[in-house]
Amino acid sequence: MHNIYITNLADHDQEFEVHGWNNKNNLKVNPGTTAAIGAEDGSAGAVIALHGGHEGEQAEITKDGFGGNDFIDLSNIVGAGGNLTVQQVNNPATRKGDPRFMQHLNEAWQRAGDNTKASLSECVHLDNSGNVSRIDAIKDFPALEEFVRSFADGMTYIGVGAWGGSPGNANDNNQSSAGQGNTDIQVTYNDGDASPPQVAFHHSQFAVTKRDETIPGPGILLTNRSSKQQDYNFYDNFWNGDGTAGANFDQPSNPTTLQPGETTFVGLPKASRGAASDDGGAHGDVSLEQGCDGAATISATDGSDRTNGFSHDVLSDAPEAAILNKPDGSKALATTMGNWMSGPNQATIDYLNQVVGQHRAYMGGTGTDDVASSNKCLAVDFY
């Protein structure tokens, strides 16, 4: 017997429809708490978020399946109205789902043309501000499936997959890959970023350790969400205080090593400044100017839910012209601005604009959203 932990990071009660466990009863999880339901080995089912009585995003789980492994995926085929992720506990390498699905959905909707919006008006529901609040079942609307694939393909189960003689979509089929052994499962819901939190266990529901409750001072709450041990350095700014950003790469500080899934706080002096405004808070963004070999997000820790960056793999499908070899022989995407080794790589610029976008990560120029946190601390997650 293992547990499925369901965490609600939102500021409201969230109801879930439970198939296969909990005596098939719905489950309401209070704000900032985690509920646990037992799941016997060999059992299978789903945890589905409900939005005004409508089924939305769902975590599909098979415990102790083929080869003794759990099989999990995150599906939006019956709809969406919030963000949901699922993974094996303490194993971020097994995570499925886009932690900011609804934000990416709304961004795509705002960019869409009038004809696209008209074709989706029956299945895309908006709030009073014109933002997407919910979508209907993707499986019932081929045009909706095409639209969702434009920003979430490979991040979540979108179509019906290999079923009834159809080969399905390869990226959907890959979502059903095996986990690593038979363990507890973590399901995380949020209106904002649904990346799994740290939790403190207490009876049948667990109080989530809010990020802003554990901040000891100005600095960075750093998390390694990759599957390998990672080393990190911090670099002071050449021009602290004059509104110009430029890292002093000759003088690294605060060397930090994190194991997979580990989080630590790195304190920084209040004088550490880049091109941020002088409002007393912490400001930052994700930059790809010097290239990248992974993903990163940056988020406020003051409870405002401000976040930016990206969490999906951009290296595997990059064109050869955009890739360079690092000194250790591993591959990375080349610089978008130029450095001592080469000038700007146009293939990298074109590719990253397509798969990430300037609004989510800085590549030079303007248009990247700044993330501000009034408590002088930002959460930075590397994938």
Side-chain angles (χ1 to χ4, degrees):
M1 171 77 76
H2 285 87
N3 286 328
I4 298 173
Y5 298 117
I6 305 172
T7 298
N8 176 19
L9 293 178
D11 59 4
H12 57 81
D13 291 343
Q14 179 59 45
E15 186 175 4
F16 297 91
E17 188 176 293
V18 181
H19 295 181
W21 308 287
N22 202 45
N23 295 319
K24 298 182 180 180
N25 293 321
N26 284 12
L27 179 67
K28 182 178 289 186
V29 183
N30 298 327
T33 65
T34 297
I37 57 177
E40 294 195 5
D41 292 347
S43 62
V47 177
I48 308 172
L50 297 178
H51 304 282
H54 299 278
E55 292 181 334
E57 55 283 359
Q58 62 177 306
E60 299 176 324
I61 303 164
T62 297
K63 292 296 300 152
D64 192 24
F66 180 77
N69 298 307
D70 296 328
F71 286 77
I72 56 176
D73 66 64
L74 201 289
S75 172
N76 290 104
I77 63 173
V78 298
N83 300 322
L84 200 69
T85 59
V86 58
Q87 70 174 61
Q88 292 180 308
V89 166
N90 296 327
N91 193 348
T94 64
R95 185 174 307 159
K96 304 290 180 64
D98 179 357
R100 299 184 66 241
F101 178 89
M102 290 300 295
Q103 283 72 31
H104 297 154
L105 169 62
N106 190 60
E107 290 167 2
W109 177 260
Q110 301 304 332
R111 294 193 302 266
D114 291 341
N115 289 340
T116 297
K117 290 180 177 179
S119 69
L120 298 173
S121 60
E122 183 181 357
C123 52
V124 176
H125 305 274
L126 309 179
D127 61 19
N128 292 333
S129 299
N131 295 314
V132 180
S133 60
R134 184 178 63 82
I135 58 175
D136 289 329
I138 296 174
K139 64 183 179 65
D140 296 333
F141 298 93
L144 181 58
E145 176 178 342
E146 180 180 357
F147 178 69
V148 173
R149 287 201 188 280
S150 71
F151 65 88
D153 197 24
M155 297 288 291
T156 179
Y157 218 112
I158 299 171
V160 296
W163 188 261
S166 170
N169 181 280
N171 286 334
D172 288 345
N173 296 336
N174 290 338
Q175 295 301 307
S176 298
S177 57
Q180 299 173 8
N182 178 23
T183 72
D184 292 336
I185 302 296
Q186 171 70 47
V187 177
T188 306
Y189 175 87
N190 200 357
D191 298 328
D193 193 322
S195 299
Q198 299 172 340
V199 296
F201 298 94
H202 181 68
H203 301 304
S204 61
Q205 288 207 336
F206 315 126
V208 175
T209 303
K210 295 285 189 180
R211 282 180 163 180
D212 58 334
E213 292 175 357
T214 59
I215 304 305
I220 300 295
L221 195 62
L222 181 65
T223 299
N224 174 15
R225 297 197 181 279
S226 77
S227 59
K228 301 177 181 178
Q229 174 182 299
Q230 298 287 356
D231 298 321
Y232 305 93
N233 280 320
F234 289 75
Y235 299 91
D236 200 9
N237 188 31
F238 270 122
W239 304 285
N240 276 336
D242 76 348
T244 305
N248 185 356
F249 291 117
D250 293 328
Q251 297 185 20
S253 64
N254 301 91
T256 304
T257 298
L258 294 180
Q259 300 301 316
E262 185 178 3
T263 297
T264 192
F265 175 79
V266 180
L268 297 175
K270 292 181 180 179
S272 295
R273 295 177 62 184
S277 60
D278 189 17
D279 61 3
H283 292 254
D285 59 41
V286 173
S287 172
L288 304 180
E289 285 183 303
Q290 294 301 334
C292 68
D293 59 1
T297 59
I298 186 167
S299 308
T301 63
D302 59 4
S304 63
D305 282 338
R306 286 184 288 264
T307 187
N308 207 0
F310 62 105
S311 59
H312 57 284
D313 173 27
V314 297
L315 186 59
S316 297
D317 295 327
E320 198 63 35
I323 293 176
L324 58 76
N325 291 321
K326 296 191 293 184
D328 64 1
S330 61
K331 295 183 180 298
L333 291 174
T335 175
T336 65
M337 67 167 291
N339 52 34
W340 61 95
M341 294 185 295
S342 68
N345 186 302
Q346 191 60 47
T348 304
I349 296 170
D350 294 342
Y351 173 68
L352 286 175
N353 272 312
Q354 176 186 354
V355 300
V356 177
Q358 177 79 6
H359 63 294
R360 285 199 274 174
Y362 185 73
M363 305 171 209
T366 60
T368 306
D369 292 339
D370 170 79
V371 175
S373 193
S374 61
N375 62 355
K376 303 181 178 64
C377 179
L378 293 164
V380 177
D381 296 14
F382 285 95
Y383 295 79

